[in-house]
Amino acid sequence: MPPELCAACAIGPADEIIAKGRREPRRTAILYNRSHEIVHEGLGRLNHDWMWTFIALKSAQVPVDVIIEEDLNPDDLKRYDCVVVGGLNLARRHVAALKTWVEAGGLLIGAGGAAMADVYDDPMPETGELFGARQALSGPGNTASVARVTFPATDAFPAADLAPGGLAFLLTPTTGRSLATYKGGECAAVANAVGKGQAILLGFQPGLTFRDNGRAAGPVRAWLIAPVLKRLGRQRVEFDHPASEVTLFEHDSGLAVMLASFGGPSPEGGSRLSVRTDRPIKEVASALRGPLEWSRAGDRIEIQTRRLEPVDVVILR
């Protein structure tokens, strides 16, 4: 069945829940930085980094928004617990808004080179104060030195040894604490306490690192999403098919979980889907394949899905 027709058939039985229901709020956002693109054009192809970071978070069932610079204001930032930023240029007022948001308890994750300069490409020391570190682009002579990055286990990240993707920046901690080192011993990541929140700066691009280290099927996903999940807590929906995404809708008539595969093999016997809800549930069914095996475990409904090819909607009533 063509994917478009498959999607239409899957949505049909849940159309009331999806069309009239409430989608799970997105508490995480990724900045699409147009200032970087204006000033530096294709340097580092950082739009690919933002895309792959988005895919990494979605594959871990983290609801995520893509925002632009105009969204970096006090009212819009209140919607989020975590924000990921990249790109070498950002307006000073936007850095100031992010700092105020972090002080109130937000988690800011910056990719290598994030907001090093303002929109006129003048150096911006305010960013170094926010992240607790200075940044310097690694030169051609350091290629071998920055070819690997090692993270010991900390409260922010699990232990990991990765090939960092994209542009490499050498970090010099000021008020921040070092989280990782490159092969040559240079600092590759820092964490800085700012008020009630935290700012984490990586010396490289996390999305491109995800792409180059096994993607959703590799250990890199657990590393990338660790600080986000620590801030957000256990997700309302968990799906153990790694190359996939889920979207939860709630309505008075029931719950619907949209499932979509990013590609890669889906287990022949299906995957485990876990949904947190205190609502009384009497039946669980796949829109495409009929009734599913399920059980309640505390405040969660544990479901055995069927093989995902390539989309489905699981309905809980």
Side-chain angles (χ1 to χ4, degrees), residues 1-301:
M1 183 184 299
E4 296 83 0
L5 181 58
C6 184
C9 292
I11 291 173
D15 57 357
E16 180 183 45
I17 301 174
I18 294 171
K20 299 180 180 179
R22 301 171 300 280
R23 187 178 67 180
E24 182 182 5
R26 281 136 169 77
R27 297 163 52 201
T28 300
I30 295 175
L31 176 68
Y32 190 101
N33 188 333
R34 295 175 300 176
S35 292
H36 170 86
E37 294 187 332
I38 292 169
V39 177
H40 289 288
E41 297 182 355
L43 178 65
R45 303 191 74 181
L46 297 188
N47 55 342
H48 286 201
D49 177 57
W50 308 327
M51 177 189 75
W52 282 106
T53 302
F54 178 89
I55 291 173
L57 292 167
K58 290 291 285 184
S59 74
Q61 295 84 54
V62 176
V64 57
D65 273 340
V66 177
I67 60 176
I68 58 177
E69 287 135 293
E70 284 78 359
D71 298 313
L72 299 179
N73 63 77
D75 289 338
D76 287 324
L77 285 171
K78 286 179 182 177
R79 299 163 50 190
Y80 304 111
D81 294 292
C82 306
V83 174
V84 181
V85 299
L88 275 63
N89 302 89
L90 201 60
R92 293 177 187 274
R93 68 181 184 279
H94 294 143
V95 173
L98 285 169
K99 181 180 179 182
T100 300
W101 171 79
V102 174
E103 289 173 337
L107 170 64
L108 179 66
I109 300 176
M116 287 180 63
D118 63 16
V119 293
Y120 303 101
D121 214 21
D122 292 327
M124 192 155 47
E126 297 95 318
T127 302
E129 296 172 4
L130 175 57
F131 285 115
R134 296 188 297 273
Q135 308 182 64
L137 181 62
S138 177
N142 288 336
T143 301
S145 181
V146 298
R148 302 294 298 183
V149 60
T150 300
F151 283 78
T154 63
D155 58 347
F157 290 100
D161 182 72
L162 306 167
L167 301 172
F169 292 80
L170 309 181
L171 308 183
T172 302
T174 52
T175 58
R177 59 186 173 92
S178 177
L179 296 176
T181 55
Y182 289 114
K183 182 180 178 181
E186 306 93 336
C187 180
V190 297
N192 193 38
V194 183
K196 297 179 181 179
Q198 185 179 51
I200 294 174
L201 178 63
L202 304 172
F204 48 92
Q205 276 65 61
L208 298 180
T209 301
F210 171 81
R211 181 197 65 185
D212 296 342
N213 288 265
R215 305 183 184 182
V220 66
R221 184 182 71 161
W223 164 82
L224 189 151
I225 65 173
V228 176
L229 290 185
K230 181 178 180 180
R231 179 66 179 83
L232 298 179
R234 188 177 181 183
Q235 296 300 282
R236 285 206 58 195
V237 181
E238 297 172 342
F239 189 46
D240 68 3
H241 174 40
S244 64
E245 66 172 320
V246 301
T247 308
L248 172 66
F249 293 85
E250 291 189 83
H251 184 263
D252 291 343
S253 62
L255 291 81
V257 182
M258 298 177 63
L259 307 176
S261 175
F262 284 149
S266 176
E268 188 69 36
S271 302
R272 295 293 296 178
L273 174 67
S274 178
V275 182
R276 187 176 77 239
T277 178
D278 290 326
R279 296 171 59 161
I281 300 298
K282 296 182 179 180
E283 60 181 15
V284 178
S286 156
L288 296 178
R289 300 174 182 270
L292 298 173
E293 296 180 6
W294 65 279
S295 62
R296 177 174 284 282
D299 64 348
R300 304 190 75 92
I301 302 297

